[in-house]
Amino acid sequence: MRTDELSADRVAVLSGPNLAREIMDGQPAAATVACPDEYAARRFQQACHTSYFRPCTSTVVIGCELICGSPVAVAGQVLATV
């Protein structure tokens, strides 16, 4: 499903400098949960917070997508709009 098909306040992005293997192994990892609805972002944060996985919250979804996303994917999107 594309994000433009959903209500913007119902979309959350989970992104961060971590790898699934690190999280599975219980190694310290961090991420950002971004959602325009701060309450929803905090609920998401609480749902996946553990002693070794620390998600932070943000209401700036596009910023999270650009900063934490794949540089190749971001560059591809930028070039596609030129």
Side-chain angles (χ1 to χ4, degrees):
M1 180 172 279
R2 297 182 341 214
T3 57
D4 62 348
E5 296 174 342
L6 297 172
S7 173
D9 62 337
R10 300 201 42 132
V11 174
V13 174
L14 176 66
S15 188
N18 54 55
L19 302 171
R21 174 63 61 194
E22 293 171 340
I23 297 168
M24 289 175 41
D25 291 344
Q27 296 178 16
T32 299
V33 176
C35 182
D37 180 344
E38 186 173 356
Y39 177 73
R42 292 205 183 277
R43 288 192 60 201
F44 194 113
Q45 175 191 39
Q46 292 169 354
C48 59
H49 180 273
T50 68
S51 61
Y52 55 88
F53 184 63
R54 304 289 174 111
C56 301
T57 62
S58 174
T59 56
V60 184
V61 175
I62 190 71
C64 182
E65 291 173 333
L66 291 174
I67 292 171
C68 298
S70 164
V72 173
V74 171
Q77 290 179 0
V78 169
L79 290 174
T81 61
V82 174

